[in-house]
Amino acid sequence: MKITVDRERCVGAGQCVLAASDVFDQSREDGLVELLEPEPSEDRRAAVNEAELICPSGAIEIQP
């Protein structure tokens, strides 16, 4: 799986970090999403899917 994030769409809610903190973080400068692991292992799929679903701005996209 491959993950992309749209920082321009991000509103800094931090839900992605709560769902998958080893894949996402928030910038200390502006609070927006930072992608730590653009191609996480399959064992992280459930957490990454949750992050995508709960992102209020739809800034996360998962590709197979």
Side-chain angles (χ1 to χ4, degrees):
M1 104 182 99
K2 183 175 181 179
I3 303 168
T4 57
V5 296
D6 185 344
R7 287 181 47 85
E8 291 184 22
R9 242 177 129 170
C10 179
V11 295
Q15 298 303 304
C16 57
V17 179
L18 293 174
S21 62
D22 56 336
V23 178
F24 304 99
D25 200 358
Q26 283 182 279
S27 168
R28 290 182 185 216
E29 294 175 8
D30 58 14
L32 300 179
V33 64
E34 289 185 346
L35 185 57
L36 302 176
E37 184 64 47
E39 295 186 31
S41 61
E42 280 299 313
D43 65 324
R44 301 299 305 139
R45 183 172 289 278
V48 171
N49 283 343
E50 180 181 353
E52 180 187 37
L53 289 172
I54 63 176
C55 177
S57 63
I60 299 169
E61 183 178 332
I62 302 171
Q63 303 162 358

